[in-house]
Amino acid sequence: FKENEVTMEWVETWKNKNWGFMGLSICATPNRIGFISLGKMESMMDYQVNMIDLPKTYYTIGKPINEPGQIYQSLSYAVDDEGNLYTTNLGSSVINVFNPKGESQKSIEIDRAAVSSMMGIMEIMPLITDMYIETPYLYVANLIPNTIARDDMKEDSWENLYEGDMMSDSLNVWLDMYVEKEVVYLLDPVPDEN
């Protein structure tokens, strides 16, 4: 191993006709891989979460309908150390939690004052682009307004960690988030012109 050198090797490809049209996001733990995919050609906007329990047990969680305990056009999700899935639905201010068997367990209400308040004047529906769990916290990245917030899942309390400048002409599109020792790392595919 040399500093700044990465070696990658293609090992194998897994395919399943029920996984939908195209993968959007992936999350992995040592025993589980999860990914969000678009629906099939006839129902492209029916996003779904597909899980693989290693070595190779495949299943889909939720149904593509906008109801509590279901997955509907989800852009983001996270998997905790116990294998529970946390996911959001577009147009909803809750995070649905599923156990490792794919059964709905609970919904976590998103505190819109912490996550999607516009300069403290108006709260809008959150548009969570990614989530990450570093116990006891559930971190979320929101698109409009650009915020990073976290929920202390033990205390059931939300706090805003970062709020972008609403008057700026730049928008961060955080598509991937990683947290280690409470340091948040974000992937933004939009180039910064500054």
Side-chain angles (χ1 to χ4, degrees), residues 8-178:
M8 298 178 79
E9 178 182 343
W10 193 278
V11 176
E12 90 183 270
T13 300
W14 298 343
K15 294 181 181 180
N16 185 311
K17 66 180 180 176
N18 296 318
W19 283 351
F21 180 68
M22 179 177 75
L24 297 176
S25 178
I26 190 166
C27 179
T29 65
N31 299 318
R32 169 176 271 198
I33 299 170
F35 61 96
I36 294 177
S37 65
L38 294 175
K40 298 175 185 160
M41 288 302 279
E42 65 275 5
S43 57
M44 194 85 77
M45 295 306 289
D46 290 345
Y47 296 22
Q48 60 189 39
V49 174
N50 303 285
M51 302 301 287
I52 304 168
D53 284 337
L54 299 174
K56 287 187 185 176
T57 303
Y58 313 114
Y59 56 97
T60 299
I61 294 182
K63 297 177 184 167
I65 54 176
N66 195 9
E67 293 179 3
Q70 299 302 328
I71 295 171
Y72 180 75
Q73 297 182 347
S74 177
L75 291 177
S76 62
Y77 70 101
V79 178
D80 67 17
D81 293 337
E82 288 79 41
N84 297 307
L85 171 74
Y86 296 69
T87 185
T88 61
N89 293 344
L90 288 178
S92 174
S93 60
V94 299
I95 296 170
N96 292 310
V97 182
F98 298 87
N99 69 16
K101 296 179 181 179
E103 301 163 334
S104 177
Q105 296 300 294
K106 65 179 179 176
S107 293
I108 300 171
E109 187 73 27
I110 296 172
D111 181 350
R112 296 194 316 189
V115 176
S116 58
S117 173
M118 299 185 77
M119 298 184 288
I121 300 169
M122 175 175 62
E123 296 171 11
I124 62 173
M125 196 61 68
L127 180 56
I128 306 299
T129 56
D130 201 16
M131 296 189 288
Y132 194 88
I133 296 173
E134 184 180 54
T135 307
Y137 299 112
L138 168 64
Y139 291 81
V140 297
N142 192 61
L143 182 62
I144 300 173
N146 273 148
T147 58
I148 304 297
R150 71 180 180 186
D151 176 35
D152 183 328
M153 294 186 289
K154 287 185 180 177
E155 301 295 324
D156 191 29
S157 64
W158 284 86
E159 68 177 313
N160 181 295
L161 302 175
Y162 169 82
E163 184 172 341
D165 181 3
M166 289 296 299
M167 304 315 258
S168 161
D169 55 350
S170 65
L171 178 68
N172 296 305
V173 183
W174 298 310
L175 295 181
D176 203 9
M177 170 188 280
Y178 175 76

